[in-house]
Amino acid sequence: MRLRNVAGSREAIALSPYVVQEAQQPRCPGAWKEIFGNHRPIHLEIGMGKGKFIHTMAREHPHINYVGVEKYSSVLLRAVQRMEKEELENLKFLRMDAENLLSVFGPGEVDRIYLNFSDPWPKDRHAGRRLPSREFLKRYDVILKPEGVLEFKTDNRSLFEFALGELEPAGWKLEAVTFDLHGDPGMMEGNVTTEYEEKFSAMGNPICKYVISR
Ligand code: SAH
């Protein structure tokens, strides 16, 4: 996501009722049912950007609670503004680095995880920062229910191949995979496009997707 520092974004986020504030985050592990006020499943998008995907998902699936994680205030602000236009009670946001997920979610508290168009971090020495890396899979392993799945979409073929290679060493297995999501009617069923997915598929890039479990 292009980083443009939007003036006042930090302040706007600090006041937003849709954001679980940093000061509340230490009380979050094990408390998500209370935060949402119900016992519905919790689905997480990590690196949600401006929030088109998660907002659409939350509208289409009112019986699922969604949490969007985004590192940058200036990007998260766009998702907050989308909520101001169309409020959904089953969607909350966290402004945080996903490296710290374990300080916000308890073991097995999450039912499903989405990674969409994660940053590629092309340098080898930054491999551990890639959201589908084995380092991150270890974190997801803690917070995701044993029967939970993780879905990853990207148009970046080398990131996708890296992600596939991380599965076995980290103890995960493929449930489904495609190198051309938009040409695969089975895997397209119920597909909700993300901002990046629209942009890159309009440029003619095929979209790769996997669904994994343990
Ligand atoms: N999912 C959106 C945005 C993709 S761009 C879409 O598909 O359109 C990747 C996003 O992930 C950026 O907004 C970036 O700020 C965020 N991000 C990258 N690393 C992150 C991390 N460690 N923790 C939280 N967010 C992260």
Side-chain angles (χ1 to χ4, degrees):
M1 187 77 32
R2 272 261 308 269
L3 269 189
R4 203 158 42 86
N5 204 20
V6 179
S9 56
R10 247 172 210 283
E11 294 74 8
I13 280 161
L15 293 172
S16 172
Y18 311 124
V19 178
V20 177
Q21 301 296 333
E22 237 156 293
Q24 296 166 257
Q25 289 179 6
R27 293 195 295 275
C28 288
W32 283 94
K33 291 191 185 342
E34 288 160 42
I35 293 169
F36 280 105
N38 60 54
H39 287 253
R40 292 171 182 164
I42 292 176
H43 292 190
L44 207 60
E45 186 187 6
I46 303 173
M48 64 156 187
K50 297 176 186 170
K52 174 181 180 286
F53 170 84
I54 201 165
H55 194 269
T56 309
M57 291 293 280
R59 182 199 302 125
E60 289 185 2
H61 306 282
H63 298 297
I64 292 173
N65 292 323
Y66 289 88
V67 181
V69 175
E70 170 54 50
K71 191 154 127 181
Y72 294 108
S73 308
S74 48
V75 183
L76 174 57
L77 180 63
R78 302 304 174 204
V80 165
Q81 289 168 338
R82 199 185 291 274
M83 278 281 264
E84 285 164 358
K85 283 205 200 93
E86 185 191 349
E87 198 173 57
L88 299 172
E89 45 87 24
N90 60 329
L91 175 58
K92 302 268 181 217
F93 302 122
L94 287 167
R95 199 215 52 79
M96 62 177 288
D97 190 318
E99 283 195 1
N100 304 319
L101 278 174
L102 301 189
S103 55
V104 180
F105 293 96
E109 206 172 7
V110 173
D111 295 81
R112 184 178 293 244
I113 296 176
Y114 294 99
L115 304 178
N116 292 317
F117 297 81
S118 308
D119 294 338
W121 291 105
K123 292 192 174 111
D124 282 347
R125 69 170 189 279
H126 293 148
R129 296 186 191 173
R130 299 173 191 152
L131 294 181
S133 66
R134 63 190 73 185
E135 287 81 355
F136 274 95
L137 289 174
K138 258 188 229 151
R139 299 179 178 112
Y140 309 147
D141 189 32
V142 177
I143 65 172
L144 189 65
K145 284 202 169 63
E147 66 279 16
V149 299
L150 182 151
E151 303 192 7
F152 171 46
K153 294 196 273 192
T154 182
D155 70 317
N156 187 313
R157 185 71 186 236
S158 53
L159 178 65
F160 193 65
E161 278 164 9
F162 163 83
L164 288 172
E166 294 293 88
L167 299 180
E168 207 189 295
W172 292 67
K173 57 179 195 288
L174 271 180
E175 295 290 335
V177 64
T178 175
F179 292 86
D180 181 16
L181 174 62
H182 294 187
D184 185 325
M187 284 190 74
M188 267 305 268
E189 217 170 288
N191 186 61
V192 167
T193 54
T194 80
E195 257 122 10
Y196 274 41
E197 183 171 357
E198 287 195 347
K199 187 167 114 188
F200 293 125
S201 59
M203 286 163 60
N205 299 2
I207 308 300
C208 304
K209 176 174 177 175
Y210 73 37
V211 181
I212 61 171
S213 65
R214 286 151 296 168

